[in-house]
Structure formats: structure tokens, C-alpha cells
Amino acid sequence: MSDISDPCTATSLMFGIGGAAAFNLSMGAGKKDTAGKFVGNALIAAGSIALVITLIGEIFLTPMLKFFGATNNILPYAKEYTRITAIGFPFLIITVSGGHMIRADGKPTVSMICNLTGAIINTGLDALFVIGFGWGMKGAAAATVIGQVISCSIAVYHLAHFRTVKLTKNDWLPDMKIILRVANLGMSQGFNQIAMMVVQIVLNNSLKHYGALSIYGEDIPIAVVGISSKLAMLYFSFCIGISHAVQPIASFNYGAKNYLRTRQAYTKAIMAGSVISVLAFTIFQLFPRQIIFLLPLIWGINGMMFAGAIADALAFVMALSFAIREFSRPEYKNIFKLQV
């Protein structure tokens, strides 16, 4: 189900991918003196828009939620949740857009750690605040914001310690020419997210209207589509990951006029995405019920209870292993020695 955070995602992609692409193009062309300006201006623009989205969301919360397709039964919970999570929009946008910059700096593992850390903390605090303290939707919203703040802190730390170029104060001074260049490079990703949001809004409102006229009511059809969308994200995540991973490689080689390697990177990404798409289509067609219920088919209601905990535990192990490997690199040891 589409929600009010979708404009945040569109903004993050536009300035994150656009800024990273511009940075890598400059680095590939040997223009290190201007490369840092694309990073600083992209983040300044993204952060400024984030503040505007937060303000609009807080002022026009109820009409926006209705516009996005919230039903009368869901609306009170959506208002309670979104009014708090809107505070975290700037942190969310800086984390996501900053993650693209960190990846462009040659540290994809750190970018992944930023996202995983926030998600794990969010999930753990959800259990504590909602179940332990009984705070309901407010607790879930607070857990989300705290996770976003911590992820943002990690991203900001690594942005302040950029490896390939040293970011200066001048790189953070707004330059409309630089910002427009960044927006131009990331426009396709941003508009694609907006288009998906519009389609989902129309779908939600159609399901609410026609669902109310059916025996299912207005809530069940939206819930079913929501489940399907979350499952589809398992597939989309792989394809999105491939597209994000190939971006710095293709941008750098294009800037360096190494068009052969640019084409090779693009071709390999398309091939990998195609294979994953065929496999996902086959699995979803052959095992739809098994995919939806997973563990509940084996353990019933207990399977549903433990599914989230098992997923979080596996994510924690992965994040921890990547973090240990990343911070074991020699350059981090030198930093720690200097601090001591």
C-alpha cells in the first residue's frame, strides 16, 4: 500500500542516485576538484526537500492519508503513526541518498550496514515499545524514527570521512547549476517512484470503493494487495540492488570514456536481472500459498510469531559479519590509532 513516505523515497532516489552518478562521472573524467560539490549539493537539496515534505505532511496529514487511500477504519491508526514518523523523514532521506554517495565512494558494505542497522533496531524496539510497554501505534512509530536517526548517524559519519575525495565547506554551498545537474541524472529514478506511487494511490482508492460494494468490505482487498506488494518487494529488492550496484561502475567508466566497460557492466546487470525475474516468476506461479504462509504451514500460529524474529536474527548476523569485516580494514585501524 502506498503511503505518505513515497515522496521521500522519490526524493532520495533522485538526489542520491543523481549525486552518485555525477560524482562518479567527475571522478572518471579526472575532475576531482568538482566531484565533491555534487555530493554536498545533492545532500543539501535532498535535506531541504525533506523538511518541506515533513511540514506538508504534518499540516495536511488527514487529507493526504485519505487521498492515499486510507479507509475510515484505518485512518485513526494511520494518523497516529504517520504524525510521528513524519519527524523522521529528513533522517530517512539523508540515509538513503547518503547511502548512494557512500557506495559511490567505494564502500557498498557500509551503505548496506546503514540500512540493516536501522531496520534491526526498528524491529527490536517495535517489540519492546508495542508489546512490552503497550504503546501501540505510537510505540511503533517511535521505533521507526529511532531506527532512522541511528542509520542517519552512521551515514553522516562516513560522509564526513569520505575516502576518494576530501569534502570541504565549499562543497556544501548550494549551487543551482550543480543541483540541476544532479536532479537531471536522477530524474528517471525519482519520476519512476512517483509513477508507482500514483498507480498505487489509484489502485487503493479503487479497491476501497469497489471493495465496499462487495461482500469483502473496503479493508480486506487493500490488505490483500498490501501483502502481495510486500512479497513482490522481495523480488524487486534484488533487481534494485543490481541497478544500484552497477551505477557507480558504469558512471565512472563512462566519465573515463571507457565505453566498452560501460557496456559490459550494463549487459551483465541486464542478464542478472533477467535471470532473477524468470526465477521469481516461476516460483511465484508454482508456490503461491507456500510463499504467503511460509512457517505457518509448519508451526501454525507460532510460525507467524517466530517468522519475524528468525528473519531479524538472520539479518543481525549478516549485518554484524559485514560490520566486523569492514571495520577490520587497515584504514580503520589507522583512524583508531590517531584517535587514541
Side-chain angles (χ1 to χ4, degrees):
M1 178 176 176
S2 181
D3 58 52
I4 198 174
S5 66
D6 282 346
C8 295
T9 304
T11 301
S12 302
L13 293 176
M14 176 178 288
F15 290 99
I17 293 177
F23 172 80
N24 287 122
L25 284 168
S26 295
M27 292 295 291
K31 301 177 181 178
K32 296 185 75 172
D33 54 332
T34 60
K37 293 183 180 296
F38 290 109
V39 175
N41 276 260
L43 292 173
I44 289 295
S48 300
I49 294 176
L51 294 175
V52 174
I53 294 174
T54 299
L55 186 61
I56 294 174
E58 294 288 357
I59 296 174
F60 304 103
L61 181 60
T62 300
M64 287 185 69
L65 289 173
K66 288 183 177 180
F67 175 72
F68 274 76
T71 64
N72 292 330
N73 293 330
I74 295 174
L75 186 59
Y77 302 102
K79 288 173 61 177
E80 186 177 21
Y81 181 82
T82 308
R83 191 170 297 282
I84 297 175
T85 55
I87 300 173
F89 287 170
F91 301 102
L92 170 63
I93 288 180
I94 294 300
T95 300
V96 177
S97 57
H100 289 285
M101 311 298 176
I102 293 171
R103 189 182 300 110
D105 191 40
K107 295 183 286 189
T109 304
V110 174
S111 178
M112 182 175 63
I113 290 172
C114 290
N115 295 320
L116 282 177
T117 301
I120 293 169
I121 291 174
N122 179 10
T123 306
L125 291 180
D126 270 336
L128 178 63
F129 292 166
V130 177
I131 300 175
F133 296 164
W135 290 350
M137 296 299 293
K138 292 182 180 179
T144 298
V145 174
I146 292 173
Q148 290 169 346
V149 170
I150 294 175
S151 289
C152 182
S153 300
I154 298 173
V156 168
Y157 172 83
H158 285 279
L159 288 169
H161 296 81
F162 230 60
R163 184 165 59 187
T164 48
V165 297
K166 181 176 176 58
L167 299 180
T168 65
K169 292 182 179 179
N170 291 332
D171 293 331
W172 299 93
L173 295 177
D175 185 330
M176 189 53 64
K177 184 178 179 181
I178 295 290
I179 292 174
L180 289 176
R181 173 61 172 164
V182 169
N184 182 56
L185 288 172
M187 192 175 297
S188 61
Q189 291 286 346
F191 282 178
N192 182 58
Q193 184 65 35
I194 293 294
M196 292 171 60
M197 180 187 73
V198 171
V199 170
Q200 194 64 53
I201 289 173
V202 173
L203 178 60
N204 288 343
N205 284 280
S206 299
L207 290 169
K208 182 172 70 172
H209 174 75
Y210 291 104
L213 302 177
S214 70
I215 60 174
Y216 302 107
E218 60 181 9
D219 294 320
I220 292 178
I222 293 178
V224 170
V225 171
I227 293 172
S228 300
S229 299
K230 296 301 182 184
L231 288 172
M233 280 305 299
L234 294 174
Y235 152 67
F236 289 137
S237 296
F238 286 100
C239 294
I240 292 172
I242 292 173
S243 66
H244 289 177
V246 77
Q247 176 270 317
I249 300 172
S251 298
F252 182 89
N253 283 285
Y254 187 87
K257 301 185 184 303
N258 192 337
Y259 302 120
L260 176 60
R261 292 198 66 186
T262 302
R263 186 178 67 180
Q264 289 175 337
Y266 176 79
T267 302
K268 289 180 179 179
I270 291 295
M271 291 176 62
S274 299
V275 171
I276 292 173
S277 298
V278 172
L279 287 175
F281 175 80
T282 303
I283 292 172
F284 283 140
Q285 292 298 316
L286 295 178
F287 310 105
R289 292 181 59 86
Q290 290 83 349
I291 292 173
I292 292 177
F293 299 108
L294 297 172
L295 291 179
L297 288 174
I298 304 173
W299 293 337
I301 188 64
N302 290 329
M304 296 181 66
M305 299 298 182
F306 286 108
I310 293 173
D312 293 335
L314 292 174
F316 170 77
V317 172
M318 288 181 61
L320 183 63
S321 63
F322 282 121
I324 293 173
R325 188 175 68 176
E326 174 66 23
F327 292 116
S328 297
R329 295 166 64 95
E331 50 265 41
Y332 287 104
K333 294 181 180 179
N334 294 333
I335 292 174
F336 295 147
K337 288 179 181 179
L338 290 174
Q339 289 177 342
V340 174

